[in-house]
Amino acid sequence: MKILVVDDEEMIRRLIAKYATFEGHTVVEAGDGMEAVRLCREGGYDILILDIMMPELDGFSAYREIRKFSDIPIIMLSARGEEYDKINGFGLGVDDYVVKPFSPKELMLRVEAVMKRVRASAKQTEDVSANEIVDLGGLKADITARIVYIDGERVEMSPKEYDLFFYMLNNRNIALSREKLISEVWGYDFFGDARTLDTHIKLLRKSLGPYAK
């Protein structure tokens, strides 16, 4: 796996690179958001680990620029753990959010979890031969194309909201525990902050509007 690590603190970059290299990954480092955007344009990376507080271009701004041309999985790093930052990051579609200080081993487990989910999603798309449409009246969902319509209008959601919504849709009428949702949608069993699920449920309810129930 080829990982792009972006952080203005060299010590943080080297620490991540050390553990990632030990586990057999290739690591490229960048010190600011502008460099992150440039390197992502060149392509060739499997996942991006991106700090928020950086000079030149902060992590959220860099994320928005990168999403204009790439769907590379992104894990955000931040020294700030406020709920606003997490909601902002997840609202943009960030795949995961890690608060400093963190364990390099934990970060690598999160990287593996994100990539496992990405691979599973890609395989699921390949295995589907025909579009499956779920019609719940004013709420319609094209499971194959991952498109949601509310009262005829297409709804834009973050990648994680889509993952969560379509997993629950595929398992409708089945009682799903918190442990099951996190294990299946995030790829790990309550690893990290369990409030991540709560945050995404709030965002998903907001996106679905009158059909949030």
Side-chain angles (χ1 to χ4, degrees):
M1 188 187 311
K2 191 173 182 180
I3 304 173
L4 176 59
V5 178
V6 186
D7 196 304
D8 60 326
E9 297 183 57
E10 183 178 2
M11 183 174 68
I12 296 294
R13 299 199 308 269
R14 294 296 169 85
L15 182 64
I16 296 173
K18 178 181 178 181
Y19 276 81
T21 301
F22 177 77
E23 294 190 7
H25 305 303
T26 299
V27 177
V28 174
E29 299 177 30
D32 60 66
M34 294 291 286
E35 190 175 7
V37 175
R38 179 181 63 79
L39 289 171
C40 282
R41 285 189 183 280
E42 297 175 0
Y45 301 99
D46 296 297
I47 190 168
L48 168 62
I49 298 174
L50 180 65
D51 186 35
I52 292 178
M53 299 299 291
M54 294 187 296
E56 301 294 335
L57 194 67
D58 68 85
F60 287 139
S61 298
Y63 176 90
R64 293 187 185 92
E65 288 300 313
I66 291 169
R67 276 291 174 262
K68 292 177 181 179
F69 58 84
S70 174
D71 60 356
I72 181 175
I74 297 178
I75 294 177
M76 300 292 284
L77 299 179
S78 175
R80 301 182 300 178
E82 289 86 354
E83 185 178 17
Y84 170 78
D85 288 331
K86 291 187 177 183
I87 291 176
N88 190 23
F90 288 139
L92 287 173
V94 171
D95 292 274
D96 208 343
Y97 189 105
V98 179
V99 179
K100 299 177 183 178
F102 57 84
S103 159
K105 182 177 181 180
E106 174 188 340
L107 178 60
M108 287 300 102
L109 286 172
R110 287 178 180 266
V111 167
E112 291 296 336
V114 169
M115 293 309 299
K116 178 181 178 181
R117 189 178 66 252
V118 169
R119 289 190 289 267
S121 178
K123 184 177 186 303
Q124 183 180 33
T125 299
E126 292 175 358
D127 291 344
V128 177
S129 58
N131 280 30
E132 181 181 353
I133 306 294
V134 175
D135 190 342
L136 302 174
L139 174 63
K140 292 184 180 180
D142 184 330
I143 293 179
T144 308
R146 288 168 64 89
I147 298 175
V148 180
Y149 297 94
I150 290 181
D151 295 330
E153 295 292 328
R154 180 170 178 173
V155 178
E156 294 296 337
M157 298 190 289
S158 71
K160 186 57 62 202
E161 285 178 78
Y162 281 119
D163 290 341
L164 182 59
F165 177 65
F166 283 109
Y167 178 77
M168 290 193 293
L169 197 61
N170 283 323
N171 292 276
R172 56 193 180 278
N173 301 321
I174 298 175
L176 299 170
S177 67
R178 293 171 60 85
E179 293 90 345
K180 182 67 173 178
L181 283 171
I182 291 181
S183 177
E184 295 297 329
V185 178
W186 274 264
Y188 49 87
D189 191 7
F190 270 106
F191 182 76
D193 189 351
R195 289 178 299 178
T196 293
L197 175 60
D198 299 332
T199 300
H200 280 87
I201 289 293
K202 289 179 183 178
L203 291 169
L204 181 57
R205 285 183 177 279
K206 183 177 179 181
S207 294
L208 295 179
Y211 302 99
K213 63 181 184 297

